């Protein structure tokens, strides 16, 4: 007998966070669709519309990326002091305004200033949405994050396809139209976000019980209380630093793999976009199913072992792809992308859970803002690191893999004592506001 097809209402009810959770998923997919439209042609816009040279474009992107690093901790600090929904809306509108300003000038200094202005709320956005989900979904946050990340990848794909179709016209007007289309998406998501309710503050949520088998269940053995400021919390800063290293899978996939195909292997250049499609498809298919392996902080910490193993396999496969022969190169590159993609999926799930679990409720925004530095810093410094690895030759890939394993092992040990406190993923009792 065939299984009955789930009714749409039943599927929607499985999404944590209720109506506001579903609405924020719509916000995410529209947001990333617009971002995909613009990100696909940003460098080309500065080249063909603004008339900047290669070095000038590189300078603009580096400076704006460096300034954007401050967006995550700034957003986290604001989120502990002001209504979260209003901050999210403000960030969305600021991103749109900064994009519109790009249309007003071809001056390098002003373009860099406006790009940096847009980079701040852009980097803040992921932290703010993560914080909203953590407060709204509560103990189901791991599943919600997985669903949200799936919608993000779908949005990126839609935006990328739309940009490809627009650029295929060969008209320079397409760049400006894609920019304006992204601005429109910011206005749409701002209106949708305003319809979302403010989630309960974390201080209003009390843990009902300790995780089964958790030593913290013994009141005579209390866990150490973290500092009130993440900048004074050495454990959290160490966790953020090691997480920045583990986020390198993103740069390896997006930057290193295409360049490695061209400069070090005999694989066809056309393989590069196909591998990125493979990455996106795997994330969409497996992000939600694999989220069940990180429903507690202990489980998330255990995921660091397979995570680092997959990262090491991925770097070994990249080294093997340069050994010679087209068939070997293609096979090794496919293996590398599969291993790195599953590492990306596992790390996204584990990092989400651990960063929230390590943050005290009274300073959750500030802590998650500092953790946002991990991904921002990696995006800024990662390309320089992986291009250095490529310049050193194929044998440098396994050495980078060993470095990633060491970072994972250090993180696994570093957070052990902190995670003896009750998991934030246990069932919650929410204190009513009424």
């Amino acid at each position: 007998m065939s299984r009955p097809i789930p009714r749409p209402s039943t599927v929607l009810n499985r999404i944590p966070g209720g109506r506001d959770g579903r609405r924020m998923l719509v916000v995410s997919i529209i947001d990333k669709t617009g971002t995909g439209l613009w990100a696909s042609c940003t460098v080309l816009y500065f080249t063909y519309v603004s008339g900047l040279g290669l070095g000038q474009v590189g300078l603009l992107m580096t400076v704006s990326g460096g300034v954007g690093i401050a967006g995550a901790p700034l957003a986290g600090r604001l989120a502990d002091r002001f209504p979260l929904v209003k901050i999210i809306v403000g960030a969305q509108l600021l991103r749109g305004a900064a994009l519109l300003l790009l249309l007003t000038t071809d001056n390098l200094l002003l373009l860099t200033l406006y790009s940096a202005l847009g980079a701040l709320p852009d980097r803040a956005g992921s932290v703010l949405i993560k914080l909203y989900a953590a407060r709204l979904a509560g103990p189901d946050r791991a599943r919600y994050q997985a669903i949200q990340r799936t919608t993000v990848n779908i949005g990126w794909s839609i935006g990328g396809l739309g940009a490809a179709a627009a650029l295929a016209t060969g008209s320079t007007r397409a760049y400006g139209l894609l920019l304006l289309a992204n601005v429109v998406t910011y206005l749409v998501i701002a209106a949708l976000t305003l319809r979302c309710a403010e989630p309960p503050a974390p201080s209003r949520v009390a843990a009902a019980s300790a995780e089964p088998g958790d030593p913290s269940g013994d009141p005579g053995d209390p866990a150490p209380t973290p500092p009130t400021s993440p900048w004074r919390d050495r454990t959290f800063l160490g966790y953020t630093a090691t997480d920045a290293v583990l986020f390198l899978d993103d740069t390896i996939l997006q930057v290193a793999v295409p360049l490695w195909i061209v400069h070090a292997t005999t694989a066809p250049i056309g393989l590069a976009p196909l591998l990125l499609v493979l990455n996106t498809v795997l994330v969409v298919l497996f992000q939600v199913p694999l989220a069940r392996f990180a429903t507690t902080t202990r489980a998330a910490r255990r995921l660091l072992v397979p995570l680092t193993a997959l990262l090491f396999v991925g770097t070994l496969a990249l080294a093997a792809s340069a050994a010679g022969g087209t068939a070997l190169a293609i096979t090794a590159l496919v293996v590398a992308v599969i291993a790195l993609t599953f590492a990306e999926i596992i790390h996204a799930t584990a990092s989400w859970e651990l960063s929230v679990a390590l943050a005290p409720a009274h300073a959750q925004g500030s802590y998650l803002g500092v953790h946002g530095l991990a991904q921002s810093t990696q995006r800024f410094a990662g390309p320089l690191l992986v291009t250095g690895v490529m310049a050193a030759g194929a044998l440098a890939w396994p050495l980078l893999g060993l470095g990633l394993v060491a970072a994972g092992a250090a993180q696994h040990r570093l957070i052990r004592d902190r995670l003896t406190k009750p998991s934030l993923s246990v069932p919650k009792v929410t204190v009513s506001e009424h």
Side-chain angles (χ1 to χ4, degrees), residues 379-406:
R379 288 176 180 173
F380 177 67
L384 181 62
L385 175 61
V386 297
T387 50
V389 169
M390 287 188 288
L395 292 179
W397 282 117
L399 294 179
L400 176 62
L402 289 174
L404 295 172
V405 171

PDB file of all heavy atoms in Angstrom, residues 379-406:
ATOM      1  N   ARG A 379      35.486  34.567   6.184  1.00  0.00           N
ATOM      2  CA  ARG A 379      35.206  35.089   4.853  1.00  0.00           C
ATOM      3  C   ARG A 379      36.228  36.136   4.435  1.00  0.00           C
ATOM      4  O   ARG A 379      36.532  36.286   3.244  1.00  0.00           O
ATOM      5  CB  ARG A 379      33.799  35.702   4.822  1.00  0.00           C
ATOM      6  CG  ARG A 379      32.675  34.689   4.874  1.00  0.00           C
ATOM      7  CD  ARG A 379      31.334  35.385   4.942  1.00  0.00           C
ATOM      8  NE  ARG A 379      30.236  34.422   4.981  1.00  0.00           N
ATOM      9  CZ  ARG A 379      28.964  34.761   5.185  1.00  0.00           C
ATOM     10  NH1 ARG A 379      28.643  36.037   5.360  1.00  0.00           N
ATOM     11  NH2 ARG A 379      28.029  33.842   5.209  1.00  0.00           N
ATOM     12  N   PHE A 380      36.767  36.852   5.419  1.00  0.00           N
ATOM     13  CA  PHE A 380      37.740  37.902   5.130  1.00  0.00           C
ATOM     14  C   PHE A 380      39.139  37.314   4.907  1.00  0.00           C
ATOM     15  O   PHE A 380      39.824  37.664   3.943  1.00  0.00           O
ATOM     16  CB  PHE A 380      37.755  38.898   6.290  1.00  0.00           C
ATOM     17  CG  PHE A 380      38.775  39.990   6.137  1.00  0.00           C
ATOM     18  CD1 PHE A 380      38.641  40.933   5.134  1.00  0.00           C
ATOM     19  CD2 PHE A 380      39.857  40.071   6.986  1.00  0.00           C
ATOM     20  CE1 PHE A 380      39.580  41.952   4.981  1.00  0.00           C
ATOM     21  CE2 PHE A 380      40.799  41.079   6.849  1.00  0.00           C
ATOM     22  CZ  PHE A 380      40.661  42.025   5.852  1.00  0.00           C
ATOM     23  N   ALA A 381      39.557  36.425   5.814  1.00  0.00           N
ATOM     24  CA  ALA A 381      40.922  35.895   5.757  1.00  0.00           C
ATOM     25  C   ALA A 381      41.029  34.555   5.038  1.00  0.00           C
ATOM     26  O   ALA A 381      42.117  34.182   4.593  1.00  0.00           O
ATOM     27  CB  ALA A 381      41.471  35.748   7.183  1.00  0.00           C
ATOM     28  N   GLY A 382      39.904  33.826   4.922  1.00  0.00           N
ATOM     29  CA  GLY A 382      39.935  32.502   4.324  1.00  0.00           C
ATOM     30  C   GLY A 382      40.485  32.452   2.910  1.00  0.00           C
ATOM     31  O   GLY A 382      41.335  31.606   2.595  1.00  0.00           O
ATOM     32  N   PRO A 383      40.037  33.347   2.012  1.00  0.00           N
ATOM     33  CA  PRO A 383      40.569  33.303   0.643  1.00  0.00           C
ATOM     34  C   PRO A 383      42.086  33.446   0.576  1.00  0.00           C
ATOM     35  O   PRO A 383      42.739  32.782  -0.222  1.00  0.00           O
ATOM     36  CB  PRO A 383      39.869  34.490  -0.037  1.00  0.00           C
ATOM     37  CG  PRO A 383      38.576  34.618   0.705  1.00  0.00           C
ATOM     38  CD  PRO A 383      38.921  34.299   2.129  1.00  0.00           C
ATOM     39  N   LEU A 384      42.646  34.309   1.419  1.00  0.00           N
ATOM     40  CA  LEU A 384      44.107  34.472   1.440  1.00  0.00           C
ATOM     41  C   LEU A 384      44.793  33.192   1.882  1.00  0.00           C
ATOM     42  O   LEU A 384      45.817  32.773   1.317  1.00  0.00           O
ATOM     43  CB  LEU A 384      44.481  35.623   2.368  1.00  0.00           C
ATOM     44  CG  LEU A 384      45.978  35.943   2.484  1.00  0.00           C
ATOM     45  CD1 LEU A 384      46.536  36.371   1.130  1.00  0.00           C
ATOM     46  CD2 LEU A 384      46.212  37.036   3.531  1.00  0.00           C
ATOM     47  N   LEU A 385      44.207  32.516   2.883  1.00  0.00           N
ATOM     48  CA  LEU A 385      44.803  31.281   3.395  1.00  0.00           C
ATOM     49  C   LEU A 385      44.758  30.172   2.355  1.00  0.00           C
ATOM     50  O   LEU A 385      45.776  29.507   2.092  1.00  0.00           O
ATOM     51  CB  LEU A 385      44.072  30.842   4.666  1.00  0.00           C
ATOM     52  CG  LEU A 385      44.510  29.493   5.262  1.00  0.00           C
ATOM     53  CD1 LEU A 385      45.982  29.527   5.645  1.00  0.00           C
ATOM     54  CD2 LEU A 385      43.649  29.130   6.474  1.00  0.00           C
ATOM     55  N   VAL A 386      43.604  29.947   1.740  1.00  0.00           N
ATOM     56  CA  VAL A 386      43.499  28.816   0.811  1.00  0.00           C
ATOM     57  C   VAL A 386      44.287  29.059  -0.471  1.00  0.00           C
ATOM     58  O   VAL A 386      44.816  28.109  -1.063  1.00  0.00           O
ATOM     59  CB  VAL A 386      42.024  28.489   0.482  1.00  0.00           C
ATOM     60  CG1 VAL A 386      41.276  28.064   1.732  1.00  0.00           C
ATOM     61  CG2 VAL A 386      41.326  29.643  -0.206  1.00  0.00           C
ATOM     62  N   THR A 387      44.399  30.322  -0.910  1.00  0.00           N
ATOM     63  CA  THR A 387      45.236  30.582  -2.080  1.00  0.00           C
ATOM     64  C   THR A 387      46.702  30.354  -1.745  1.00  0.00           C
ATOM     65  O   THR A 387      47.473  29.908  -2.601  1.00  0.00           O
ATOM     66  CB  THR A 387      45.038  32.024  -2.596  1.00  0.00           C
ATOM     67  OG1 THR A 387      45.167  32.949  -1.517  1.00  0.00           O
ATOM     68  CG2 THR A 387      43.663  32.181  -3.225  1.00  0.00           C
ATOM     69  N   GLY A 388      47.087  30.616  -0.498  1.00  0.00           N
ATOM     70  CA  GLY A 388      48.444  30.303  -0.065  1.00  0.00           C
ATOM     71  C   GLY A 388      48.698  28.803  -0.063  1.00  0.00           C
ATOM     72  O   GLY A 388      49.779  28.333  -0.451  1.00  0.00           O
ATOM     73  N   VAL A 389      47.694  28.040   0.371  1.00  0.00           N
ATOM     74  CA  VAL A 389      47.803  26.577   0.357  1.00  0.00           C
ATOM     75  C   VAL A 389      47.960  26.077  -1.074  1.00  0.00           C
ATOM     76  O   VAL A 389      48.802  25.216  -1.358  1.00  0.00           O
ATOM     77  CB  VAL A 389      46.559  25.937   1.024  1.00  0.00           C
ATOM     78  CG1 VAL A 389      46.536  24.430   0.778  1.00  0.00           C
ATOM     79  CG2 VAL A 389      46.559  26.226   2.519  1.00  0.00           C
ATOM     80  N   MET A 390      47.156  26.611  -1.989  1.00  0.00           N
ATOM     81  CA  MET A 390      47.249  26.189  -3.381  1.00  0.00           C
ATOM     82  C   MET A 390      48.611  26.516  -3.985  1.00  0.00           C
ATOM     83  O   MET A 390      49.179  25.738  -4.749  1.00  0.00           O
ATOM     84  CB  MET A 390      46.128  26.839  -4.195  1.00  0.00           C
ATOM     85  CG  MET A 390      44.751  26.253  -3.917  1.00  0.00           C
ATOM     86  SD  MET A 390      43.477  26.871  -5.048  1.00  0.00           S
ATOM     87  CE  MET A 390      43.302  28.537  -4.440  1.00  0.00           C
ATOM     88  N   ALA A 391      49.153  27.682  -3.621  1.00  0.00           N
ATOM     89  CA  ALA A 391      50.452  28.076  -4.139  1.00  0.00           C
ATOM     90  C   ALA A 391      51.558  27.147  -3.632  1.00  0.00           C
ATOM     91  O   ALA A 391      52.560  26.926  -4.318  1.00  0.00           O
ATOM     92  CB  ALA A 391      50.757  29.520  -3.742  1.00  0.00           C
ATOM     93  N   ALA A 392      51.367  26.590  -2.444  1.00  0.00           N
ATOM     94  CA  ALA A 392      52.370  25.697  -1.857  1.00  0.00           C
ATOM     95  C   ALA A 392      52.376  24.318  -2.503  1.00  0.00           C
ATOM     96  O   ALA A 392      53.329  23.558  -2.348  1.00  0.00           O
ATOM     97  CB  ALA A 392      52.154  25.576  -0.351  1.00  0.00           C
ATOM     98  N   GLY A 393      51.307  23.950  -3.204  1.00  0.00           N
ATOM     99  CA  GLY A 393      51.264  22.660  -3.889  1.00  0.00           C
ATOM    100  C   GLY A 393      50.307  21.673  -3.255  1.00  0.00           C
ATOM    101  O   GLY A 393      49.747  21.914  -2.172  1.00  0.00           O
ATOM    102  N   ALA A 394      50.130  20.535  -3.926  1.00  0.00           N
ATOM    103  CA  ALA A 394      49.127  19.545  -3.511  1.00  0.00           C
ATOM    104  C   ALA A 394      49.360  19.012  -2.105  1.00  0.00           C
ATOM    105  O   ALA A 394      48.406  18.738  -1.363  1.00  0.00           O
ATOM    106  CB  ALA A 394      49.096  18.389  -4.507  1.00  0.00           C
ATOM    107  N   LEU A 395      50.621  18.850  -1.712  1.00  0.00           N
ATOM    108  CA  LEU A 395      50.895  18.279  -0.384  1.00  0.00           C
ATOM    109  C   LEU A 395      50.481  19.206   0.756  1.00  0.00           C
ATOM    110  O   LEU A 395      50.403  18.771   1.908  1.00  0.00           O
ATOM    111  CB  LEU A 395      52.386  17.943  -0.270  1.00  0.00           C
ATOM    112  CG  LEU A 395      52.881  16.802  -1.160  1.00  0.00           C
ATOM    113  CD1 LEU A 395      54.380  16.578  -0.961  1.00  0.00           C
ATOM    114  CD2 LEU A 395      52.112  15.506  -0.859  1.00  0.00           C
ATOM    115  N   ALA A 396      50.229  20.461   0.440  1.00  0.00           N
ATOM    116  CA  ALA A 396      49.796  21.389   1.494  1.00  0.00           C
ATOM    117  C   ALA A 396      48.357  21.131   1.916  1.00  0.00           C
ATOM    118  O   ALA A 396      47.962  21.498   3.031  1.00  0.00           O
ATOM    119  CB  ALA A 396      49.944  22.836   1.011  1.00  0.00           C
ATOM    120  N   TRP A 397      47.558  20.489   1.047  1.00  0.00           N
ATOM    121  CA  TRP A 397      46.163  20.219   1.404  1.00  0.00           C
ATOM    122  C   TRP A 397      46.037  19.290   2.614  1.00  0.00           C
ATOM    123  O   TRP A 397      45.278  19.591   3.548  1.00  0.00           O
ATOM    124  CB  TRP A 397      45.399  19.645   0.216  1.00  0.00           C
ATOM    125  CG  TRP A 397      44.992  20.662  -0.799  1.00  0.00           C
ATOM    126  CD1 TRP A 397      45.394  20.738  -2.094  1.00  0.00           C
ATOM    127  CD2 TRP A 397      44.106  21.764  -0.599  1.00  0.00           C
ATOM    128  NE1 TRP A 397      44.814  21.824  -2.723  1.00  0.00           N
ATOM    129  CE2 TRP A 397      44.014  22.464  -1.827  1.00  0.00           C
ATOM    130  CE3 TRP A 397      43.378  22.236   0.490  1.00  0.00           C
ATOM    131  CZ2 TRP A 397      43.229  23.600  -1.986  1.00  0.00           C
ATOM    132  CZ3 TRP A 397      42.587  23.363   0.335  1.00  0.00           C
ATOM    133  CH2 TRP A 397      42.513  24.027  -0.886  1.00  0.00           C
ATOM    134  N   PRO A 398      46.762  18.143   2.652  1.00  0.00           N
ATOM    135  CA  PRO A 398      46.666  17.311   3.861  1.00  0.00           C
ATOM    136  C   PRO A 398      47.157  18.023   5.116  1.00  0.00           C
ATOM    137  O   PRO A 398      46.641  17.769   6.215  1.00  0.00           O
ATOM    138  CB  PRO A 398      47.559  16.105   3.524  1.00  0.00           C
ATOM    139  CG  PRO A 398      47.612  16.065   2.039  1.00  0.00           C
ATOM    140  CD  PRO A 398      47.553  17.495   1.601  1.00  0.00           C
ATOM    141  N   LEU A 399      48.141  18.923   4.972  1.00  0.00           N
ATOM    142  CA  LEU A 399      48.611  19.680   6.134  1.00  0.00           C
ATOM    143  C   LEU A 399      47.511  20.606   6.650  1.00  0.00           C
ATOM    144  O   LEU A 399      47.312  20.737   7.859  1.00  0.00           O
ATOM    145  CB  LEU A 399      49.858  20.495   5.764  1.00  0.00           C
ATOM    146  CG  LEU A 399      51.105  19.676   5.419  1.00  0.00           C
ATOM    147  CD1 LEU A 399      52.263  20.608   5.038  1.00  0.00           C
ATOM    148  CD2 LEU A 399      51.505  18.789   6.599  1.00  0.00           C
ATOM    149  N   LEU A 400      46.775  21.230   5.703  1.00  0.00           N
ATOM    150  CA  LEU A 400      45.624  22.038   6.123  1.00  0.00           C
ATOM    151  C   LEU A 400      44.576  21.161   6.785  1.00  0.00           C
ATOM    152  O   LEU A 400      43.974  21.545   7.797  1.00  0.00           O
ATOM    153  CB  LEU A 400      45.024  22.749   4.918  1.00  0.00           C
ATOM    154  CG  LEU A 400      43.747  23.570   5.194  1.00  0.00           C
ATOM    155  CD1 LEU A 400      44.034  24.698   6.174  1.00  0.00           C
ATOM    156  CD2 LEU A 400      43.159  24.129   3.903  1.00  0.00           C
ATOM    157  N   GLY A 401      44.378  19.956   6.242  1.00  0.00           N
ATOM    158  CA  GLY A 401      43.425  19.023   6.843  1.00  0.00           C
ATOM    159  C   GLY A 401      43.783  18.675   8.271  1.00  0.00           C
ATOM    160  O   GLY A 401      42.914  18.615   9.154  1.00  0.00           O
ATOM    161  N   LEU A 402      45.067  18.457   8.512  1.00  0.00           N
ATOM    162  CA  LEU A 402      45.518  18.161   9.881  1.00  0.00           C
ATOM    163  C   LEU A 402      45.288  19.363  10.792  1.00  0.00           C
ATOM    164  O   LEU A 402      44.942  19.207  11.973  1.00  0.00           O
ATOM    165  CB  LEU A 402      46.992  17.778   9.876  1.00  0.00           C
ATOM    166  CG  LEU A 402      47.327  16.415   9.254  1.00  0.00           C
ATOM    167  CD1 LEU A 402      48.839  16.219   9.188  1.00  0.00           C
ATOM    168  CD2 LEU A 402      46.678  15.279  10.049  1.00  0.00           C
ATOM    169  N   GLY A 403      45.462  20.566  10.254  1.00  0.00           N
ATOM    170  CA  GLY A 403      45.184  21.766  11.039  1.00  0.00           C
ATOM    171  C   GLY A 403      43.715  21.866  11.419  1.00  0.00           C
ATOM    172  O   GLY A 403      43.376  22.260  12.536  1.00  0.00           O
ATOM    173  N   LEU A 404      42.831  21.488  10.493  1.00  0.00           N
ATOM    174  CA  LEU A 404      41.394  21.491  10.772  1.00  0.00           C
ATOM    175  C   LEU A 404      41.038  20.446  11.830  1.00  0.00           C
ATOM    176  O   LEU A 404      40.200  20.691  12.704  1.00  0.00           O
ATOM    177  CB  LEU A 404      40.619  21.229   9.486  1.00  0.00           C
ATOM    178  CG  LEU A 404      40.739  22.316   8.406  1.00  0.00           C
ATOM    179  CD1 LEU A 404      40.083  21.858   7.106  1.00  0.00           C
ATOM    180  CD2 LEU A 404      40.116  23.619   8.882  1.00  0.00           C
ATOM    181  N   VAL A 405      41.688  19.276  11.749  1.00  0.00           N
ATOM    182  CA  VAL A 405      41.469  18.240  12.766  1.00  0.00           C
ATOM    183  C   VAL A 405      41.924  18.742  14.134  1.00  0.00           C
ATOM    184  O   VAL A 405      41.239  18.537  15.148  1.00  0.00           O
ATOM    185  CB  VAL A 405      42.224  16.951  12.382  1.00  0.00           C
ATOM    186  CG1 VAL A 405      42.196  15.947  13.542  1.00  0.00           C
ATOM    187  CG2 VAL A 405      41.615  16.323  11.135  1.00  0.00           C
ATOM    188  N   ALA A 406      43.070  19.419  14.181  1.00  0.00           N
ATOM    189  CA  ALA A 406      43.580  19.953  15.448  1.00  0.00           C
ATOM    190  C   ALA A 406      42.624  20.996  16.022  1.00  0.00           C
ATOM    191  O   ALA A 406      42.380  21.031  17.234  1.00  0.00           O
ATOM    192  CB  ALA A 406      44.971  20.561  15.231  1.00  0.00           C
TER     193      ALA A 406
END
